[in-house]
Amino acid sequence: MKKIISKVVVGTLVVGSIGFVQAQKIDAKAKKILDDITANYNSKKNSYFKFAFGSGMNGAVSKTEPGIYYSAGNKYKLKIMETEQIFDGNKIYNINTEDMEVTVAKPNANSTMFSPINYLTTYRKDYNVVYGGKKAVDGVNADLIKLTPVKANGLKYIYLYVDSAKKQMLKLEQYGNNKDISVIAIKEYKENQQLDPNMFVFDKAKFKNYLVTEL
């Protein structure tokens, strides 16, 4: 499980801050779809979704784990089985209940926060963007958008599947140059809920017996 969550948080969904030399190409139709979805998410007080995270090699998912995700502004909370991650707007807290460990770190310029929707902002400077037509996703006639890195960052390409009518992300497929695959499929989505005021607060008192490491 530790390998899975590490891959989610650190490996598969990290997008580097890179200098570019190639001319970026963004398809107008794809841009309109992504901008509409971005505006929709940004207009909400908070968002919540259940998701399934799949991982594997050679284009085939071999393991899937359930998860939940809450976000409000730039803060978020992620849970996948024994692991919880909180970003309070300043620091990231990785909490592993199985090993009773907490790792605390500040985000840096070489990474973005975990989120299936992180590409809605990073595509503007990091990727070539092409509209790929329609494809059925769980009964929804989704729009497929392909993102290809402008410059090498360890990823081969990313597929985004979106419900343009609802202006929501449905699924993300990420393919690495090392032939690994990571998939996030959103199963349930809610917005503008009444959240606990301490939802995005790390309470040290709850983890007195944990090994806490600050990086």
Side-chain angles (χ1 to χ4, degrees):
M1 185 60 218
K2 288 178 68 177
K3 290 182 179 179
I4 293 173
I5 193 65
S6 176
K7 199 171 187 181
V8 174
V9 174
V10 181
T12 66
L13 292 172
V14 165
V15 182
S17 177
I18 305 169
F20 304 111
V21 295
Q22 302 179 37
Q24 186 183 22
K25 298 177 182 178
I26 298 179
D27 177 89
K29 184 170 184 176
K31 183 179 186 302
K32 174 68 165 55
I33 292 171
L34 294 180
D35 286 350
D36 285 348
I37 295 173
T38 303
N40 181 51
Y41 281 118
N42 289 341
S43 70
K44 310 306 179 186
K45 181 173 66 175
N46 57 62
S47 298
Y48 158 86
F49 51 79
K50 290 182 180 179
F51 65 91
F53 172 73
S55 60
M57 294 292 294
N58 299 315
V61 172
S62 58
K63 189 166 187 177
T64 302
E65 302 288 349
I68 60 173
Y69 177 83
Y70 290 89
S71 67
N74 68 335
K75 300 178 182 179
Y76 74 83
K77 176 179 284 188
L78 161 73
K79 288 185 179 181
I80 302 181
M81 294 187 69
E82 303 94 348
T83 304
E84 179 177 347
Q85 186 181 78
I86 299 172
F87 178 59
D88 62 6
N90 181 38
K91 292 182 178 181
I92 303 170
Y93 300 85
N94 285 306
I95 306 162
N96 188 294
T97 56
E98 184 180 24
D99 295 335
M100 298 183 67
E101 293 179 354
V102 178
T103 302
V104 186
K106 282 202 169 189
N108 57 57
N110 293 322
S111 66
T112 60
M113 298 302 96
F114 169 85
S115 170
I117 60 175
N118 61 1
Y119 290 112
L120 298 181
T121 54
T122 58
Y123 89 85
R124 291 179 172 86
K125 60 184 180 68
D126 293 355
Y127 295 89
N128 292 318
V129 184
V130 177
Y131 179 72
K134 295 283 189 176
K135 186 168 183 179
V137 177
D138 294 331
V140 177
N141 192 23
D143 286 295
L144 168 61
I145 297 173
K146 182 179 181 180
L147 278 58
T148 307
V150 176
K151 190 175 181 180
N153 65 355
L155 301 179
K156 191 174 181 180
Y157 49 79
I158 301 99
Y159 288 143
L160 305 180
Y161 299 86
V162 301
D163 183 338
S164 294
K166 293 184 177 180
K167 299 179 181 179
Q168 294 175 2
M169 187 78 70
L170 296 173
K171 187 168 70 168
L172 177 156
E173 295 177 351
Q174 184 172 272
Y175 297 84
N177 289 331
N178 60 355
K179 297 184 179 182
D180 67 349
I181 180 175
S182 302
V183 178
I184 289 180
I186 296 175
K187 301 300 183 182
E188 179 183 340
Y189 176 76
K190 295 180 182 180
E191 58 193 27
N192 295 333
Q193 299 183 96
Q194 288 297 118
L195 300 182
D196 184 333
N198 295 317
M199 171 68 73
F200 308 107
V201 175
F202 175 74
D203 185 354
K204 290 183 179 179
K206 295 180 179 179
F207 303 96
K208 290 181 179 179
N209 297 322
Y210 278 57
L211 174 65
V212 179
T213 304
E214 293 226 19
L215 303 179

